[in-house]
Amino acid sequence: MKSKNKKRISAVKNNIYALKLLWKMSPSLVFHMAFSRFLGYFEWLFYSAFFMRYVINSLETQKTFSTIMTFIIVTVVVFASMSLYHSYLDGKVFPIATAQVNKKLYQKIFKKARNVELECFEDSDFYDKYTLAIKDADNQLIKSVEVFFGVIFGAIASVCAFMFMFQVDKYSVLFILFPFIGNFIFKRVNSKIDYNRNKDMAPHNRKIDYINRVMYLKEYAKEIRLTNVFKLIKKQYKEAIFGLADVTKKYTLKAAVFHWLYVMFTFTFIFEGVLIYGAFRTLVSHSMSLAQLAVLTSMMVSTTWILIGFTESITESFKNGLFVDYLKTFMEYKEKIPEDYDGITPDSKIESIEFKNVSFSYKNVQVLSNLNMKLEGTKTYALVGHNGAGKSTIIKLLLRFYDPTEGQILLNGKNIKEYNLQKYRALFATAFQDNKLFSMSVTDNVLLGEEVEESQKEKIASEALKLSGVYQKVSSLEKGMNTILTKEFDDEGVVFSGGEFQKVVVARAFAKNCPIKVFDEPSSALDPIAEYQLFDNILKSCQENLLIFISHRLSSVKNADCVILLEQGQIKEEGTHKELMKQNGLYADMYNKQAKNYLADSSVQEQGIWS
């Protein structure tokens, strides 16, 4: 019981939060929504409680025709004005205000999304809530506030309807119990049945959705045509359809019974009951006039629909409260490393970067342990080691995507937490193996919004592409540097191969003018010749930079000033390639094993060529 009360209180708070948020963005929209909903209920009550009673009483008391017509004409003019007002809202006010809300709300959401730390996007629970909050957020927010007003004015209208019916006949209010029972008991049971039925159907529907995707996505087309997998897919589809049928049978009788009870209590009993009761009072006991009967039946119709609207608004407000909760949780989240973090401006000249006793745990798993290392001046550093050794984590800590669990990272002797985050990150040019291409021109994909003179953009991007080894491919395209990458918005867009994709990503690091360059597995999709050329270009073009790169292929790190071998989050060996080979330790063992594989691959290739 306490849990239910908490949920109700939470839903009310969430809807009030939605009201405040929408008011900040568009007070006029909130006012018009409230006034429009008020007028809607006013129309129901006025027509049934006043209009019908006045006209019939005027006829019974033999008021003049002109008096009655004056009242009717005034009423028509008022209602016509209200209708014109509603048309004005639907045709102008709401579309314009909705567009403004869309703009302002998504600006807030995107600003927040841009400002939260990377960890949030790697936290599945947070990310799920974020996606639920952002999906159709403007319409959901407006709907939440609209429903909230439906609850408020619905409650007021329900009380007024109750009072008006009580004035006409105090016993007639008992009939209002029927729609209350229908909506608050049987409809809730129906909703529970629908929820359980949909829950049981979900696994079967997921399977059907998966099969539908498989049948039209090009990724699966080859296997479907070259194998007999279609038989298995067809079998899965049949099982899913039969599963849906079984679930439907399971709930059909129960759903039908409670739906029948809902209809009977909500509509039939009150409609037929009031008519029979009124007819008896009018024709048999002669204790009710025709005017009272007309008003009573009219009030009965209005009251029923007011109660239905009121109860539906309550149900919807709880549903919308969940969406608002996601939005509220996201918008009120306190960032650990906010992107707008302010601080001192770092010096563009890099003397040193130092990791002092740095440890880092991710989701209670130790990734780095008491790491100490110093990167100096304009030297080249290679981070090597097996997967999971902590190489990429070092880069993420260096870029302040995360902060160390223990220890500190120093730039020119100062803790990197002291620096303005955006200005600090501007010191780095990065090329990660999991970077993405955007549906933009090649030039924009290389520069990524860097502040460059318009006349120099294409030149800088072209030089970077030459260094990464993909310029020849780009220049062969019909639109050259203006070619749109991906086919997301342009059917004539180009989709690059894995190696070409990676070269465009690497070109970004070449194009950015900054003191520190970071390359994380920049050659994983390249052949040995392209890899050699790329690393040669990286070393030559980054001689004035502090260069850090990660590579699994140890043949590419031989020319680094310092090779740092990591194992289980700790530095096991460091030195030049020659020094580490002389130590005959872990690095030498890894290098020799890779060298044997290279020789074996070369032997196989030669046999293939000459066979």
Side-chain angles (χ1 to χ4, degrees), residues 37-38 41 45 146-164 176 180 184 303 305-314:
R37 184 56 70 104
F38 166 78
Y41 282 114
L45 292 172
E146 187 177 19
V147 168
F148 184 67
F149 285 133
V151 172
I152 293 173
F153 291 115
I156 295 171
S158 297
V159 172
C160 291
F162 180 90
M163 292 171 60
F164 291 146
I176 295 177
F180 262 108
F184 282 103
T303 302
W305 287 112
I306 288 170
L307 287 173
I308 290 172
F310 174 52
T311 53
E312 285 181 348
S313 294
I314 290 176

Side-chain angles (χ1 to χ4, degrees), residues 310-558:
F310 174 52
T311 53
E312 285 181 348
S313 294
I314 290 176
T315 304
E316 282 297 310
S317 70
F318 283 112
K319 289 181 182 178
N320 294 334
L322 187 60
F323 152 75
V324 177
D325 186 55
Y326 291 142
L327 182 63
K328 182 181 177 184
T329 300
F330 178 71
M331 296 301 292
E332 294 184 346
Y333 173 76
K334 299 298 181 184
E335 303 91 340
K336 297 174 185 175
I337 311 175
E339 290 293 314
D340 58 0
Y341 183 90
D342 200 8
I344 62 177
T345 300
D347 192 342
S348 59
K349 184 180 180 181
I350 306 301
E351 299 291 343
S352 66
I353 294 176
E354 186 175 2
F355 283 67
K356 294 185 70 174
N357 305 315
V358 170
S359 296
F360 179 71
S361 297
Y362 183 72
K363 294 184 177 179
N364 298 320
V365 176
Q366 187 85 6
V367 182
L368 297 177
S369 179
N370 198 33
L371 186 75
N372 288 279
M373 67 176 185
K374 191 171 185 179
L375 313 179
E376 297 179 339
T378 56
K379 291 184 177 180
T380 299
Y381 294 86
L383 304 181
V384 300
H386 296 296
N387 287 335
K391 304 183 298 296
S392 295
T393 301
I394 288 174
I395 303 302
K396 289 179 180 178
L397 289 174
L398 186 58
L399 293 168
R400 277 208 80 192
F401 288 153
Y402 302 93
D403 281 333
T405 309
E406 296 177 5
Q408 55 184 339
I409 303 171
L410 308 177
L411 172 71
N412 293 343
K414 287 188 175 66
N415 193 318
I416 61 174
K417 293 181 181 180
E418 296 180 28
Y419 294 114
N420 176 290
L421 185 58
Q422 292 300 311
K423 292 179 181 178
Y424 169 75
R425 286 193 183 148
L427 300 173
F428 296 83
T430 58
F432 291 106
Q433 57 180 320
D434 58 351
N435 275 131
K436 302 297 182 185
L437 294 183
F438 296 90
S439 188
M440 302 173 184
S441 70
V442 175
T443 299
D444 286 337
N445 262 288
V446 173
L447 298 179
L448 293 181
E450 283 293 310
E451 293 184 5
V452 178
E453 288 185 22
E454 195 67 34
S455 60
Q456 294 297 309
K457 283 185 176 181
E458 189 169 320
K459 180 183 176 183
I460 293 172
S462 299
E463 290 300 322
L465 292 170
K466 288 175 183 177
L467 288 171
S468 68
V470 75
Y471 179 73
Q472 189 174 353
K473 168 68 177 181
V474 172
S475 61
S476 69
L477 301 173
E478 184 180 346
K479 295 182 180 179
M481 297 294 290
N482 294 318
T483 301
I484 300 297
L485 299 185
T486 80
K487 294 181 179 291
E488 187 76 27
F489 306 119
D490 189 348
D491 291 338
E492 296 181 0
V494 172
V495 178
F496 280 155
S497 66
E500 292 163 346
F501 175 105
Q502 194 167 41
K503 289 175 181 178
V504 173
V505 169
V506 170
R508 294 170 178 170
F510 285 129
K512 187 173 180 179
N513 183 21
C514 61
I516 307 170
K517 305 269 184 166
V518 179
F519 295 86
D520 184 0
E521 292 290 346
S523 61
S524 58
L526 305 183
D527 60 70
I529 295 175
E531 178 187 36
Y532 172 80
Q533 292 173 339
L534 176 62
F535 273 101
D536 188 49
N537 288 340
I538 289 175
L539 292 170
K540 287 178 180 178
S541 66
C542 297
Q543 289 179 3
E544 301 300 318
N545 302 104
L546 172 57
L547 173 60
I548 306 168
F549 67 90
I550 298 172
S551 179
H552 281 97
R553 296 176 183 174
L554 300 186
S555 60
S556 61
V557 308
K558 290 193 294 183

Side-chain angles (χ1 to χ4, degrees), residues 203-390:
H204 306 296
N205 284 323
R206 280 201 303 271
K207 188 177 286 187
I208 290 172
D209 290 341
Y210 169 74
I211 292 168
N212 288 336
R213 290 199 306 275
V214 166
M215 291 306 298
Y216 75 76
L217 287 176
K218 63 181 181 180
E219 290 92 321
Y220 302 94
K222 294 186 184 73
E223 283 81 359
I224 290 174
R225 283 154 181 77
L226 295 174
T227 68
N228 290 321
V229 73
F230 181 72
K231 290 181 180 178
L232 301 177
I233 294 173
K234 188 176 179 182
K235 182 182 177 183
Q236 287 181 323
Y237 191 80
K238 283 184 177 180
E239 288 173 354
I241 293 296
F242 287 138
L244 289 177
D246 290 339
V247 173
T248 302
K249 289 176 185 176
K250 177 182 175 182
Y251 290 98
T252 297
L253 180 60
K254 190 187 293 185
V257 169
F258 280 100
H259 181 72
W260 179 80
L261 289 171
Y262 162 70
V263 172
M264 293 299 291
F265 273 82
T266 303
F267 300 102
T268 307
F269 289 161
I270 187 171
F271 287 172
E272 305 299 333
V274 168
L275 284 173
I276 292 171
Y277 172 74
F280 176 83
R281 290 280 310 274
T282 304
L283 301 175
V284 178
S285 66
H286 302 291
S287 55
M288 181 180 289
S289 66
L290 285 173
Q292 288 177 312
L293 176 61
V295 171
L296 184 63
T297 54
S298 178
M299 279 299 306
M300 172 267 300
V301 174
S302 297
T303 302
T304 301
W305 287 112
I306 288 170
L307 287 173
I308 290 172
F310 174 52
T311 53
E312 285 181 348
S313 294
I314 290 176
T315 304
E316 282 297 310
S317 70
F318 283 112
K319 289 181 182 178
N320 294 334
L322 187 60
F323 152 75
V324 177
D325 186 55
Y326 291 142
L327 182 63
K328 182 181 177 184
T329 300
F330 178 71
M331 296 301 292
E332 294 184 346
Y333 173 76
K334 299 298 181 184
E335 303 91 340
K336 297 174 185 175
I337 311 175
E339 290 293 314
D340 58 0
Y341 183 90
D342 200 8
I344 62 177
T345 300
D347 192 342
S348 59
K349 184 180 180 181
I350 306 301
E351 299 291 343
S352 66
I353 294 176
E354 186 175 2
F355 283 67
K356 294 185 70 174
N357 305 315
V358 170
S359 296
F360 179 71
S361 297
Y362 183 72
K363 294 184 177 179
N364 298 320
V365 176
Q366 187 85 6
V367 182
L368 297 177
S369 179
N370 198 33
L371 186 75
N372 288 279
M373 67 176 185
K374 191 171 185 179
L375 313 179
E376 297 179 339
T378 56
K379 291 184 177 180
T380 299
Y381 294 86
L383 304 181
V384 300
H386 296 296
N387 287 335

Side-chain angles (χ1 to χ4, degrees), residues 134-181:
I134 199 172
K135 186 179 180 182
D136 202 25
D138 53 335
N139 292 324
Q140 287 272 31
L141 181 66
I142 292 170
K143 183 180 177 184
S144 297
V145 174
E146 187 177 19
V147 168
F148 184 67
F149 285 133
V151 172
I152 293 173
F153 291 115
I156 295 171
S158 297
V159 172
C160 291
F162 180 90
M163 292 171 60
F164 291 146
M165 287 190 71
F166 188 83
Q167 286 179 353
V168 175
D169 185 276
K170 61 183 178 181
Y171 296 110
S172 66
V173 297
L174 296 175
F175 289 96
I176 295 177
L177 292 174
F178 289 119
F180 262 108
I181 294 170

